[in-house]
Amino acid sequence: MNLQARKAPVATDRAQQLLERSMRSPRVVIDRLQPSVDDGRFPAKATVGQPLVFEADVYADGHEAIAAELILRQPGGEAQRLPMRSLGNDRFRVQMLPTKTGRHLFTVEGWIDAWGSYRRVLLRLQAANKVSEQDLVDGVERIRAASRDADPDARLATLLLRLEDLSPPEKLMLLLDEGVAELMSARLPRGFASRHASEFCVIVERTRAGFASWYELFPRSQGAPGQHATFDDVIARLPSIAAMGFDVLYMPPIHPIGTTKRKGRNNSLVATPTDPGSPYAIGSSEGGHDAVHPALGGIEALRRLRDAAAGYGMELALDIAIQCSPDHPWLREHPEWFTWRSDGSVRCAENPPKKYEDIVNVEFYNEGALPSLWLAWRDVIEHWIAEGIHTFRVDNPHTKPLPFWEWLIADIHTRHPDVLFLSEAFTRPAMMYRLAKIGYSQSYTYFTWRNSKRELGEYMTELTQQAPRDFYRPHFFVNTPDINPRFLQDAGRPGFLIRAALASTLSGLWGMYSGFELCEGAALPNGEEYLDSEKYELRHRNWGAPGNIVGEITRLNRLRREHPSLQSHLHFQLQHSDNDQVLVYARQLPGADELVLVAVSLDPHAAQETQFDLPFDALGVAAGGALESEELMSGRRFVWHDRRQHWRFVPQEMPFAIWHLRRAAGAHA
């Protein structure tokens, strides 16, 4: 049958454009780059000295081998190219240890690996015992072609000479050699190479962005009973605070305090002449947010404290509270930054049902506040940076505009990349996470209210295995001047040990407000407020009072420094325990041949015991093997042969245990 020649379809401009675009489209696909936050909209976070892992899906049609590499631009440096290894199922990974702070930009390039494809086929033929002479000749010819490159490599010539004198089995082994694979993959053209269209960003911050132990105190309470203390009195306390292992000393606002509607003891609306007022009612005739309360000794005393703290390896963290007393100079100098009522007054701050009669708020979007108010707050931060303060805890940042924070933090970091911001935002999860995305280095968390085994396990899983792991650094404060957790109000000394053990071993960042080490839990009725709150009065404490947990806190902080797996909230693995009152979890760095195992009884009142599983698999120990164990709080040593173990907790003695585990000598791997 005669077939008539078919006419080619009439080409249209659009059809031609589609054809040309498709021919130019990459054959190698690169997808799902990590770490990324909202597909690159925000930077991921990392810290100096902590492993940073990059991953991507890289694949193409057919059965050929794929290769990939990370292209990384560090601050002030040329682009680095780091080979990525295949994890299987099209996923590639590379790990590096950051050494510089600042913005790290990265993308991924992938290509069809000609030598890798040949080597893969050769391995399969070897496994089937079907390698032919021609298969070996093909490999030699590939090497010969690479040696004819315009930029010859003497190693290829040497390799060809070696291959000439080898028997077929020897030639096969050399063609499969890993070193030859590296050499050839570097010399051969990258077939159908493509690069991801976007550069993603990782902000690398200094170590204390992810690993630090914070101690909070009110400077005015550190002196003799009944006397307003100075920063020099705080200096006298530094040896004991440093001895406990804390490396950040955090102070609530240190500025002049207003007198208008000053609060009295226990948040009373009527203050006596001797009441010092809340330090959050900032500003008086003596100055505002860039001034130091004269009763604390002024700026020179603060400088002495800063330098003395540095001598103990500690740094100061200051509180930034964006609010004013009615006496703040800004109300006179910049009335346009506030909203005034028709009677000439300013509405006090509110968080229903709470009212703060001694505080008024600024208005960021008033006509006269853009941009002058924004710049004024930036200048406040710059003022304290110039005084050597590089860590700031920000009070209630979720009540201020997100665009303001995103601009402010980015602006500060252009000049001071080592400055850290801690978000005190006890609010909805989406807002807490957004603050982290736009620049906050750390954040307060829901840990304060997570008490049960289920609550703690689910929360740690969210923080370590879901999206927040790439941008959110949880700071586990066990208490604050504002929050006296209900768990601690009647838990006694065992309860304080439980919460200290959890906070210090679950997160690289933990903190406590002074008095915690003395197991202070007295509360106002039906709430989470401290009785005789230090926010409204001077408090004198006996730091050596019987029943304190100073020794245990000191030991916990020492263990954190000694064991890198405890220096981040990541690398958390929940372990099986048959008692719902006992939480057991492992902390292990990727690829490490040791780990820390923690078991905490969550019951401060009664003895608890549990059967729990040891992580034999994580340490590469097969059935019949053994683990060497040291209980780190007591120093007791064991050799454990059975995967299932038993432990009993007596809360009045020690409600938790921490073991350092490693494979026993001669154990089966």
Side-chain angles (χ1 to χ4, degrees), residues 130-184:
K130 291 186 177 181
V131 178
S132 69
E133 179 65 27
Q134 186 59 47
D135 295 322
L136 302 179
V137 170
D138 287 346
V140 173
E141 288 304 313
R142 289 171 184 262
I143 297 172
R144 198 180 312 281
S147 70
R148 300 191 192 105
D149 191 275
D151 181 22
D153 190 323
R155 291 175 297 175
L156 292 176
T158 302
L159 178 60
L160 287 169
L161 289 174
R162 287 182 62 192
L163 286 165
E164 288 179 359
D165 298 329
L166 296 180
S167 66
E170 293 171 328
K171 190 175 296 184
L172 173 63
M173 296 307 296
L174 185 55
L175 291 172
L176 292 175
D177 183 77
E178 291 281 357
V180 172
E182 291 180 11
L183 176 61
M184 287 297 292

Side-chain angles (χ1 to χ4, degrees), residues 576-646:
H576 171 74
S577 163
D578 67 358
N579 185 337
D580 283 342
Q581 290 283 6
V582 178
L583 182 72
V584 182
Y585 48 94
R587 309 302 313 275
Q588 183 183 26
L589 294 177
D593 59 1
E594 60 182 3
L595 60 78
V596 172
L597 185 70
V598 184
V600 184
S601 168
L602 304 176
D603 185 349
H605 304 293
Q608 297 287 338
E609 49 192 301
T610 186
Q611 300 281 341
F612 63 96
D613 290 342
L614 293 177
F616 272 51
D617 294 341
L619 293 172
V621 178
L627 292 176
E628 292 180 356
S629 167
E630 179 185 1
E631 202 289 301
L632 296 172
M633 295 299 291
S634 64
R636 295 164 59 194
R637 296 178 179 272
F638 314 86
V639 175
W640 279 337
H641 297 273
D642 298 324
R643 187 178 298 268
R644 180 64 56 89
Q645 292 293 328
H646 173 270

Side-chain angles (χ1 to χ4, degrees), residues 32-51:
R32 294 204 307 136
L33 273 65
Q34 293 292 336
S36 70
V37 181
D38 293 357
D39 200 27
R41 161 67 176 86
F42 299 103
K45 287 187 172 69
T47 55
V48 169
Q50 283 286 333

Side-chain angles (χ1 to χ4, degrees), residues 12 33 53 94 114 144 201 315 336 385 390 413 452 471 479 562 588 602 604 640 667-668:
T12 65
L33 273 65
V53 176
V94 65
R144 198 180 312 281
C201 179
E315 66 176 283
E336 70 277 12
I385 293 173
H390 287 221
H413 280 165
S452 73
F471 62 86
N479 67 330
E562 293 172 351
Q588 183 183 26
L602 304 176
W640 279 337
H668 302 292

Side-chain angles (χ1 to χ4, degrees), residues 425-494:
F426 294 117
T427 183
R428 304 176 307 281
M431 175 60 81
M432 294 171 72
Y433 288 155
R434 186 72 173 197
L435 288 164
K437 290 177 182 179
I438 63 176
Y440 274 90
S441 309
Q442 312 165 1
S443 178
Y444 283 37
T445 69
Y446 298 140
F447 167 76
T448 316
W449 299 277
R450 298 295 187 263
N451 298 314
S452 73
K453 178 178 179 177
R454 179 184 61 81
E455 290 170 338
L456 288 163
E458 289 178 353
Y459 194 44
M460 286 303 298
T461 298
E462 175 184 340
L463 295 176
T464 62
Q465 298 179 28
Q466 298 176 20
R469 64 169 285 126
D470 289 328
F471 62 86
Y472 186 78
R473 294 197 193 99
H475 202 313
F476 282 6
F477 261 86
V478 287
N479 67 330
T480 79
D482 295 305
I483 301 172
N484 179 11
R486 293 181 186 274
F487 180 88
L488 295 177
Q489 293 176 18
D490 64 354
R493 187 176 189 273

